[in-house]
Amino acid sequence: MILHPPRLDRRISGLNNRWRFPREPYLGDLLGLSQLSRATGVDIDNQLKIIDSYDNLKKKIQNDVTLDCMGFKWELHQPQLFHSGTLTKLYMFALSQKNTDPLKELEKFLRAESPKEQPKMSPVKKITISLKINDPLVTKTAFATALKSLYTNETEVHMEDVLGVLASANILQFPTLFKKCVSLMKDGISPCTIQTYYLAACKYKEELLITACEKWLEMNLVPLIGKQIYLRTVPQELLQKVLKSHRLFTFSEFDLLKTTLYWVYLQLNLRLQSIPIYEAVLAFFNSFPKKCPFLERELGQKFLPVFHCLRLHGITKSKDLEDIKYINFFPEAWMVRILANHYHALESGGDMFHAKDLSTQAIRFGLLINQENKIYSEMIGVYGFFFEIKGIKHGGSSYSFYMQRIKYSDTNIPTIIHERSTVSLRQERIVKYEIRAQSLVDGNWQEFSTNTLTQKFGLIKSTSKSHVSLYFQQ
């Protein structure tokens, strides 16, 4: 801690003005104390007892350790020193260098702390210890906050300093403060902090914070950060982990592809300060010579692992497929495989023989739930079959979700769904599916699922609706 010289304040005691140190209650000033006693009715004997206790306390609590660090000399007290593993080791080493037995000094300290035994002790010699810090995250302000926390658990950690305080706590081996910072950071994950918090969590091997960053991005990659310039800051390693996660939320597979295209675009255009329109992104990739797809160029090969994580077979709309072909982004073998899978599925009446594992190959559709509406609905079409995903809010915090098949002639199907789409006349369709929901409750994500289901969906009322619905309460 940096100790500043005390400031003189004028306080009024009775009819007399006197200059005093504000934190020392009338020490050595009996006239002022007498005046205060008469003016306020305070018992002078009690005040003298307080002064005596204060004097004794000052003799016991001394700045007996000086920490030389970051160009400052921080005056510390021995009892608080032992909250830090690093400072304890430095202190014990300094004692050993002075031919003082560290164990005996520690024993003296423990006896002094005991309320049952208060032996008369010789003054503790002042010790100077040095600590060199190489972590660039540690600032003087953050380090001062960490040292202050040695004295009280109520020290406020400001969010703008939390990274530096976390780094300081790590260096000081101060686990209580470290955990406090981790808790603050978990609650403070946002588009502008996801990168720094994740990298810090990896640096200090803090698994709880790593997991929190991953879960936050799973929920917010497409609907939130995917629409902001902060998408650029997402590390590729983290992006790939999230893209592989079965918990990842997306409105559709094509929305996920658009987000990853934006991410690559922002990696290559570092001067941009705002998100461009989607057409500008398409035009950028289309501007490369047509002789070689982007991902096969030297510039694009490092991004290949990202796009291996996508489920491109889930992009089935002809307009979306035309966009993919237009930008000449993917290797030709990828495009042939995607189009061949679609052709075989259509020829087989909608059967997706190329998709075997629901957890890694299912086509995902999602909708966001807020507190404003009571009914949420999303129409989807896959290989000539049309479905509606519906969510209903019951009361204040209960929800139910189900899916049902919609007849191709239903007037409620949006034009964008059935326009240029094939139509299947099959009366029944076997579907393997899973309905999943995730909700933020008291700062933690909770997951709900129907697990994997297989059902024959028909067009009449008794067979059109999913037999199992997902219910949950926040």
Side-chain angles (χ1 to χ4, degrees):
M1 305 291 291
I2 300 178
L3 300 181
H4 300 281
R7 177 173 56 87
L8 289 172
D9 280 357
R10 184 177 294 279
R11 292 184 179 178
I12 297 177
S13 300
L15 302 176
N16 186 29
N17 287 345
R18 294 184 179 277
W19 288 103
R20 299 188 184 86
F21 296 130
R23 295 181 183 177
E24 298 187 3
Y26 306 98
L27 301 184
D29 187 359
L30 297 180
L31 176 59
L33 182 59
S34 175
Q35 290 177 345
L36 176 66
S37 177
R38 289 196 302 272
T40 62
V42 175
D43 188 345
I44 191 171
D45 291 331
N46 287 336
Q47 289 296 311
L48 289 172
K49 291 178 182 177
I50 292 173
I51 291 171
D52 185 55
S53 300
Y54 186 81
D55 275 331
N56 293 332
L57 185 62
K58 284 190 66 180
K59 290 176 183 177
K60 289 182 179 180
I61 302 179
Q62 302 175 22
N63 297 333
D64 42 27
V65 181
T66 299
L67 172 63
D68 188 355
C69 182
M70 301 186 75
F72 282 85
K73 294 189 182 297
W74 314 81
E75 301 294 338
L76 304 174
H77 300 87
Q78 189 191 63
Q80 285 71 31
L81 201 72
F82 292 101
H83 293 303
S84 163
T86 299
L87 297 183
T88 299
K89 293 173 185 176
L90 291 174
Y91 180 70
M92 292 302 188
F93 178 76
L95 288 177
S96 66
Q97 294 298 101
K98 290 182 175 293
N99 297 320
T100 304
D101 188 342
L103 294 179
K104 288 184 178 179
E105 286 294 319
L106 182 59
E107 186 179 353
K108 288 181 184 179
F109 165 70
L110 294 175
R111 283 205 307 268
E113 289 290 294
S114 174
K116 296 180 180 178
E117 187 177 355
Q118 295 288 347
K120 202 168 184 178
M121 298 176 58
S122 58
V124 179
K125 295 180 181 179
K126 197 158 191 175
I127 299 292
T128 298
I129 57 178
S130 298
L131 176 62
K132 187 176 181 180
I133 295 179
N134 296 318
D135 193 329
L137 291 178
V138 179
T139 65
K140 292 175 182 177
T141 301
F143 192 70
T145 301
L147 291 181
K148 183 179 179 181
S149 299
L150 294 173
Y151 290 79
T152 173
N153 293 328
E154 304 301 321
T155 302
E156 183 179 2
V157 178
H158 298 288
M159 292 308 296
E160 61 267 25
D161 298 323
V162 69
L163 270 176
V165 178
L166 178 82
S168 301
N170 179 71
I171 289 172
L172 292 172
Q173 297 180 19
F174 191 178
T176 304
L177 180 60
F178 190 89
K179 290 178 182 178
K180 179 178 180 178
C181 291
V182 169
S183 179
L184 288 172
M185 292 166 73
K186 284 175 61 179
D187 295 337
I189 300 174
S190 68
C192 62
T193 63
I194 181 68
Q195 178 198 34
T196 53
Y197 285 9
Y198 176 75
L199 294 179
C202 293
K203 180 177 182 178
Y204 303 120
K205 297 179 174 58
E206 180 49 50
E207 292 297 330
L208 287 178
L209 186 55
I210 291 175
T211 301
C213 289
E214 291 173 357
K215 286 188 175 182
W216 184 91
L217 195 59
E218 288 166 359
M219 294 296 98
N220 295 284
L221 175 63
V222 174
L224 181 61
I225 196 173
K227 296 175 171 47
Q228 301 182 21
I229 196 67
Y230 295 111
L231 177 64
R232 172 192 289 144
T233 67
V234 177
Q236 182 168 339
E237 174 200 2
L238 175 58
L239 180 63
Q240 289 175 212
K241 290 172 69 175
V242 168
L243 290 176
K244 293 177 182 178
S245 172
H246 68 278
R247 295 184 298 267
L248 173 63
F249 173 84
T250 183
F251 299 108
S252 69
E253 301 300 338
F254 186 65
D255 284 293
L256 193 56
L257 171 62
K258 286 172 62 176
T259 299
T260 51
L261 289 175
Y262 267 111
W263 180 83
V264 174
Y265 179 82
L266 293 173
Q267 305 306 305
L268 302 176
N269 296 273
L270 298 177
R271 293 184 179 181
L272 281 178
Q273 297 301 314
S274 61
I275 288 283
I277 60 174
Y278 179 58
E279 287 71 20
V281 176
L282 296 180
F284 170 78
F285 290 117
N286 187 52
S287 67
F288 290 91
K290 298 295 185 287
K291 62 180 180 181
C292 179
F294 177 81
L295 288 181
E296 291 185 343
R297 295 179 176 278
E298 184 178 354
L299 182 64
Q301 288 179 3
K302 62 182 177 182
F303 300 119
L304 266 170
V306 173
F307 291 90
H308 276 299
C309 301
L310 300 183
R311 304 179 187 182
L312 298 176
H313 64 273
I315 301 174
T316 59
K317 292 182 183 178
S318 58
K319 174 63 171 62
D320 298 340
L321 293 170
E322 288 173 4
D323 286 347
I324 295 175
K325 184 178 179 182
Y326 166 74
I327 61 176
N328 192 33
F329 189 88
F330 295 101
E332 183 178 358
W334 291 30
M335 295 302 302
V336 170
R337 184 171 65 250
I338 292 170
L339 296 176
N341 287 338
H342 291 338
Y343 174 79
H344 289 304
L346 289 171
E347 282 291 300
S348 304
D351 294 334
M352 299 169 61
F353 293 111
H354 57 276
K356 306 295 184 182
D357 183 8
L358 186 75
S359 63
T360 60
Q361 294 179 299
I363 302 178
R364 294 166 292 190
F365 299 93
L367 51 87
L368 283 178
I369 306 299
N370 53 43
Q371 299 295 325
E372 298 175 359
N373 303 320
K374 290 188 176 182
I375 299 178
Y376 311 84
S377 176
E378 182 73 21
M379 298 281 189
I380 60 176
V382 181
Y383 298 132
F385 296 90
F386 303 96
F387 296 88
E388 178 184 23
I389 306 171
K390 182 168 284 190
I392 302 175
K393 182 179 180 181
H394 308 278
S397 59
S398 298
Y399 298 87
S400 64
F401 297 90
Y402 66 89
M403 63 180 287
Q404 62 182 1
R405 186 179 173 189
I406 304 297
K407 194 172 183 178
Y408 62 87
S409 58
D410 194 316
T411 57
N412 291 326
I413 299 179
T415 303
I416 193 173
I417 299 295
H418 65 72
E419 185 181 31
R420 302 173 64 185
S421 175
T422 57
V423 172
S424 176
L425 300 179
R426 291 174 61 175
Q427 296 296 305
E428 295 180 332
R429 168 77 271 176
I430 296 178
V431 180
K432 181 181 287 188
Y433 68 98
E434 179 184 6
I435 302 175
R436 308 180 75 243
Q438 300 187 70
S439 176
L440 190 62
V441 180
D442 297 330
N444 297 310
W445 286 102
Q446 293 187 0
E447 302 176 27
F448 308 89
S449 173
T450 61
N451 297 320
T452 301
L453 302 170
T454 301
Q455 180 180 332
K456 184 181 292 185
F457 284 86
L459 292 174
I460 60 176
K461 188 174 182 179
S462 60
T463 60
S464 64
K465 184 178 176 181
S466 55
H467 295 160
V468 178
S469 297
L470 177 63
Y471 295 92
F472 74 89
Q473 184 171 1
Q474 288 184 319

